[in-house]
Amino acid sequence: MRLPCPHCGERDLREFTYKGADLPLPEGPDWGPDWEAYLHLRRNPAGETRDLWYHGPCGSWLSVTRNTATHAVAESRPAREPGS
Amino acid sequence: MAYSGWRIIREALTGNAGWRPVWRDPEPKSEYDIVIIGGGGHGLATAYYLAKEHGARSVAVLEKGYLGGGNVGRNTTIVRANYFLPGNSEFYSHSLKLWEGLEQDLNYNVMHSQRGLINLFHSDGQRDAFARRGNAMINQGDDAVLLDREGVRKHLPYLDFEQGRFPIYGGLYHPRGGTARHDAVAWGYARAADRRGVDLVQNCEVTGIDVEGGRVTGVQTTRGAIKAKKVGIVVAGRSSQVAEMAGLRLPIESHVLQAFVTEGLKPCIDQVVSFGMGHFYISQSDKGGLVFGGDLDFYASYAARGNLPRVEHVMEAAMTLMPMIGQAKVLRSWGGIMDMTPDGSPIIDRTPVEGLYLDAGWCYGGFKAVPGSGFAFAHLIAQDRPHESAARMRLDRFATGRGLMDEEGTGAQHNLH
Ligand SMILES: Cc1cc2nc3c(=O)[nH]c(=O)nc-3n(C[C@H](O)[C@H](O)[C@H](O)COP(=O)(O)OP(=O)(O)OC[C@H]3O[C@@H](n4cnc5c(N)ncnc54)[C@H](O)[C@@H]3O)c2cc1C
Ligand SMILES: [Zn+2]
């Protein structure tokens, strides 16, 4: 598997670390169903998903749209700032 | 017809013409008391214990492919009870006891082989952790022996004891650990369940779960609608999709785990051995192949095949631990889909939908759990309260933070187990 980095081009999987589902941060610091969903619950689709990857060589966090059944990558872009 | 040594001799003398299919291939009925979704090890065991322990008369197992075609036939077959935390500890202890009587109970040779399991450690810190784990196992009533380096050498003379990077300090020996023939476990439970009247319906994919007023009423399948008073979801790597049919979102992410087998060799690895520094474990099948594996690929995937970096890592670990393995040729590798929970431990619980039950989150360790999980899940479905061996396998533990079973101590968070 190879992943495209917007800064470095298509690179080998070995250079990346998977950081889990790309989900919007809940508003406010108080524990509630939104935090439970953010931390634990997953749609976990057998198909298109969006997850976060860290590219070691350039140090950037990426938001990658990917198919979990075929491993085909549709989009890779810099991850947004938390909360934005 | 029951199996026996006498029967095998008789069949051998009469051209093996007397063997018959060992389970029926029934059409699904329009209604059952209990429908089990998923004909893997856990689903088949659940159906068997529902019939045997709870006298359930109207039970169907619905399997989208063929029986035993999922992870129950793809795993590396290790059976052990070496857990540390309350919850896992009593559950796997109970499961191992069921394994020890399984062949007589099912009248089926599942080739359960208690050849012993040795987890190696490579530092003082790891030794302390394993000593503590061994004590927990003994407190649970199971067996554990802490071996020093020379103790390990007696059992495993072929390891590389000279290398300095990951020196072998010793191992935690679990004599009752071992392996079993994975397919035979599925077939044995299937045959035994069928003989107690369970309908095993293959090529029957569940496509919807019917819920009315918060209560389950049946399922939609590729072979028609089936009404049911109670429904159990036991679909391993597909848990999220099937639960979604009832509007549930689970604390599960599906990952791929790979495994490897070499060409058949003469007996050389007697126990199950795991490397404490390189995520590697190995045993030898009765056919002679060395069966081994390592970590998850570590990204969400349903591809049932892995990527080369993990292959490389596993091979490197193998060569580091036992250079002799370099002489063997790898025959095959494959992957299976793991239902990973945030704390790496399973769920056997009711769901917010009345009459709908969930058995999921077995991660990479659910083969040894097959008897225990089937037993406990059958109890939960039949009695509507958890069996004592699985009372802590709660679905809400992530939301409440109470009773997490994070064996690795890395945190109850996705992608850490
Ligand atoms: C490479 C590998 C190595 C492993 N090694 C070990 C090990 O050494 N020791 C150990 O204890 N565990 C091990 N495991 C884990 C173990 O195999 C699993 O945890 C366990 O088999 C899962 O339970 P199961 O047998 O019920 O799953 P499965 O056999 O996968 O059964 C689930 C069934 O549900 C069916 N299904 C899914 N969706 C539907 C639907 N919509 N309708 C109808 N049916 C459906 C599937 O077709 C499948 O047959 C390993 C797994 C893998 C992949
Ligand atoms: Zn980059």
Side-chain angles (χ1 to χ4, degrees), chain B residues 147-411:
Chain B
L147 301 176
D148 62 11
R149 186 179 158 93
E150 289 315 306
V152 170
R153 200 196 294 267
K154 271 193 206 115
H155 287 290
L156 314 172
Y158 49 80
L159 299 183
D160 184 0
F161 286 90
E162 305 313 317
Q163 56 114 351
R165 186 155 177 223
F166 304 118
I168 294 166
Y169 276 42
L172 184 61
Y173 180 35
H174 173 37
R176 283 163 67 225
T179 60
R181 169 88 199 275
H182 48 12
D183 299 314
V185 173
W187 299 334
Y189 272 113
R191 171 173 169 272
D194 175 87
R195 288 165 58 132
R196 288 181 179 268
V198 172
D199 277 2
L200 307 174
V201 186
Q202 306 183 59
N203 297 312
C204 183
E205 178 171 359
V206 171
T207 53
I209 297 178
D210 300 329
V211 180
E212 277 168 34
R215 206 189 151 84
V216 77
T217 58
V219 294
Q220 300 293 323
T221 81
T222 49
R223 296 179 70 175
I226 300 174
K227 286 205 178 68
K229 297 188 185 74
K230 294 180 173 180
V231 174
I233 301 177
V234 213
V235 292
R238 292 280 166 174
S239 299
S240 300
Q241 273 87 52
V242 176
E244 198 177 10
M245 296 173 191
L248 305 176
R249 189 164 285 197
L250 301 180
I252 285 178
E253 197 172 83
S254 294
H255 283 245
V256 58
L257 177 69
Q258 303 193 59
F260 309 85
V261 65
T262 69
E263 59 194 339
L265 303 168
K266 289 193 174 165
C268 56
I269 295 184
D270 299 329
Q271 298 88 349
V272 181
V273 184
S274 83
F275 183 25
M277 291 308 276
H279 300 289
F280 171 78
Y281 63 94
I282 188 165
S283 68
Q284 187 166 19
S285 80
D286 292 314
K287 227 157 62 177
L290 305 182
V291 181
F292 57 98
D295 244 330
L296 297 174
D297 268 36
F298 276 123
Y299 46 83
S301 173
Y302 284 86
R305 63 182 150 71
N307 267 293
L308 282 173
R310 180 59 65 217
V311 179
E312 237 172 46
H313 182 93
V314 170
M315 300 299 162
E316 281 167 7
M319 288 299 292
T320 307
L321 186 64
M322 45 179 80
M324 73 168 185
I325 201 173
Q327 304 284 319
K329 293 189 182 69
V330 174
L331 196 64
R332 285 183 291 126
S333 73
W334 65 94
I337 305 166
M338 314 280 81
D339 39 344
M340 301 301 300
T341 59
D343 65 356
S345 290
I347 298 159
I348 303 180
D349 206 350
R350 284 166 284 228
T351 70
V353 178
E354 224 182 304
L356 183 67
Y357 305 84
L358 178 71
D359 181 308
W362 292 98
C363 303
Y364 31 69
F367 178 64
K368 63 183 168 290
V370 163
S373 160
F375 195 92
F377 197 42
H379 185 281
L380 177 72
I381 294 173
Q383 313 275 331
D384 233 346
R385 57 190 166 81
H387 185 258
E388 57 183 7
S389 66
R392 295 180 200 239
M393 307 286 190
R394 294 174 63 108
L395 175 57
D396 68 0
R397 66 179 184 270
F398 307 102
T400 64
R402 279 192 290 275
L404 293 165
M405 293 178 280
D406 170 15
E407 289 276 332
E408 291 177 7
T410 49

Side-chain angles (χ1 to χ4, degrees), chain A residues 5-8 11 16 55 57-60 62:
Chain A
C5 169
H7 312 295
C8 315
R11 307 292 300 172
F16 296 87
H55 191 211
C58 75
S60 52
L62 306 175

Side-chain angles (χ1 to χ4, degrees), chain A residues 1 14 40 44 66 68 71, chain B residues 240 300-302 307 312 414:
Chain A
M1 188 157 122
R14 289 169 182 79
H40 302 131
N44 194 22
R66 196 171 62 86
T68 56
H71 294 168
Chain B
S240 300
S301 173
Y302 284 86
N307 267 293
E312 237 172 46
H414 286 293

